[in-house]
């Protein structure tokens, strides 16, 4: 048992927060050491496996919330790599999240957002849709649907983007940015009439709200 404590760098008397923090620090240290080109340094990967195993064993000793804590650490680390544009490591961690608890839509949304950052919009749309199929409320989330629409536009799926943007405009009221995006989609489709119509709606919105 002492080897397990040593592996995670904690004393035998520890709090749940201490062991979670140590797990995060060690996981980050070893992911940082993975090679940026092919992510194939065997020693770092071996250490990560040992850290994961030690964390699970230690969490079970005092009945810590292993599922929630591990998910939170991996999610946080994935976001950090994403924000730093270290996309290969972020993708590894997003896949780890999905494999760990495949029923959480947040994991798929994180991967969709990550893929959109990487300009892989076709794949991003797929993960947005997986999350939607898991939780109906996501279809009515204004922010998530707007992100999905942006990926649809970048993937040149203009009709799909129009449908998404119209749906959230109907749910939450007119938004000048959504109206302009719809106009631009119609322009790309060669529909000059609808392009002008939505441009006028956007201009009218600004006139009606100039004192807001």
């Amino acid at each position: 048992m002492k080897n397990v404590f040593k592996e995670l760098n904690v004393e035998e008397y520890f709090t749940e927060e201490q062991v979670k923090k140590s797990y995060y620090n060690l996981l980050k240290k070893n992911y940082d050491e993975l090679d940026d080109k092919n992510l194939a340094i065997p020693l770092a990967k071996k250490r990560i496996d040992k850290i994961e195993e030690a964390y699970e064993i230690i969490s079970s000793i005092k009945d810590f919330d292993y599922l929630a804590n591990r998910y939170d650490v991996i999610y946080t680390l994935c976001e950090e790599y994403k924000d730093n544009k270290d996309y290969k490591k972020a993708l590894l961690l997003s896949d780890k999240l999905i494999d760990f608890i495949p029923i959480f839509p947040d994991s798929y949304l994180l991967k969709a957002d990550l893929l959109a950052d990487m300009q892989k919009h076709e794949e991003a749309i797929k993960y947005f849709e997986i999350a939607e199929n898991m939780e109906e409320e996501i279809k009515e989330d204004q922010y998530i649907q707007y992100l999905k629409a942006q990926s649809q536009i970048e993937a040149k799926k203009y009709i799909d983007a129009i449908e998404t943007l119209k749906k959230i405009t109907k749910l939450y009221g007119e938004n000048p940015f959504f109206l302009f995006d719809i106009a631009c989609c119609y322009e790309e489709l060669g529909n000059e009439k609808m392009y002008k119509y939505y441009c006028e709606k956007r201009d009218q919105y600004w006139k009606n709200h100039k004192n807001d």
Side-chain angles (χ1 to χ4, degrees):
M1 190 63 71
K2 288 185 179 179
N3 288 336
V4 177
F5 294 117
K6 186 177 180 181
E7 195 69 56
L8 211 62
N9 196 28
V10 292
E11 301 295 333
E12 292 189 40
Y13 301 97
F14 52 83
T15 66
E16 186 167 6
E17 195 56 39
Q18 284 171 338
V19 76
K20 181 180 175 182
K21 184 177 179 180
S22 183
Y23 170 59
Y24 165 84
N25 289 336
L26 288 169
L27 207 60
K28 184 176 189 311
K29 178 179 181 293
N30 283 280
Y31 269 97
D32 284 346
E33 290 178 7
L34 288 175
D35 183 78
D36 286 335
K37 292 181 181 177
N38 55 26
L39 298 172
I41 294 182
L43 185 57
K45 285 191 170 183
K46 203 168 185 180
R47 285 183 192 142
I48 288 168
D49 289 342
K50 286 185 177 180
I51 291 161
E52 298 278 17
E53 184 181 6
Y55 184 58
E56 183 173 5
I57 293 170
I58 289 174
S59 293
S60 69
I61 293 171
K62 290 192 176 180
D63 198 27
F64 291 159
D65 194 342
Y66 168 71
L67 292 179
N69 289 339
R70 183 177 180 225
Y71 187 89
D72 183 47
V73 167
I74 297 172
Y75 192 101
T76 300
L77 198 53
C78 181
E79 283 195 314
E80 288 179 13
Y81 283 123
K82 173 182 171 293
D83 292 342
N84 291 329
K85 303 189 187 307
D86 195 340
Y87 294 128
K88 287 184 179 180
K89 291 171 189 173
L91 275 176
L92 277 179
L93 288 159
S94 68
D95 287 336
K96 186 185 283 284
L97 280 175
I98 290 169
D99 290 341
F100 179 46
I101 308 182
I103 61 170
F104 279 8
D106 283 359
S107 305
Y108 299 90
L109 291 174
L110 178 61
K111 183 158 185 177
D113 197 23
L114 172 59
L115 289 165
D117 274 7
M118 298 171 68
Q119 304 301 309
K120 294 184 176 183
H121 294 286
E122 291 273 5
E123 288 184 67
I125 293 165
K126 182 181 79 172
Y127 281 93
F128 279 122
E129 289 174 349
I130 291 171
E132 286 176 348
N133 290 332
M134 295 174 74
E135 191 170 299
E136 192 69 23
E137 290 179 3
I138 292 172
K139 294 179 181 179
E140 297 183 359
D141 186 296
Q142 185 180 30
Y143 179 67
I144 293 171
Q145 291 301 309
Y146 182 67
L147 291 178
K148 178 185 171 186
Q150 296 310 300
S151 281
Q152 289 170 328
I153 291 168
E154 293 294 335
K156 303 187 186 306
K157 295 180 178 290
Y158 301 118
I159 293 174
D160 291 343
I162 289 168
E163 183 182 337
T164 301
L165 291 163
K166 281 184 176 179
K167 180 179 69 178
I168 55 178
T169 299
K170 185 177 179 180
L171 285 169
Y172 295 98
E174 291 187 344
N175 178 304
F177 302 105
F178 298 173
L179 293 172
F180 186 65
D181 280 343
I182 294 171
C184 290
C185 287
Y186 278 118
E187 184 180 33
E188 291 291 343
L189 291 168
N191 191 329
E192 190 70 16
K193 180 180 177 181
M194 293 303 291
Y195 167 70
K196 289 181 178 178
Y197 172 76
Y198 277 97
C199 282
E200 288 170 3
K201 281 178 75 74
R202 185 220 29 197
D203 293 343
Q204 189 60 50
Y205 179 94
W206 286 125
K207 286 179 184 177
N208 294 341
H209 296 82
K210 62 183 179 181
N211 295 322
D212 289 358

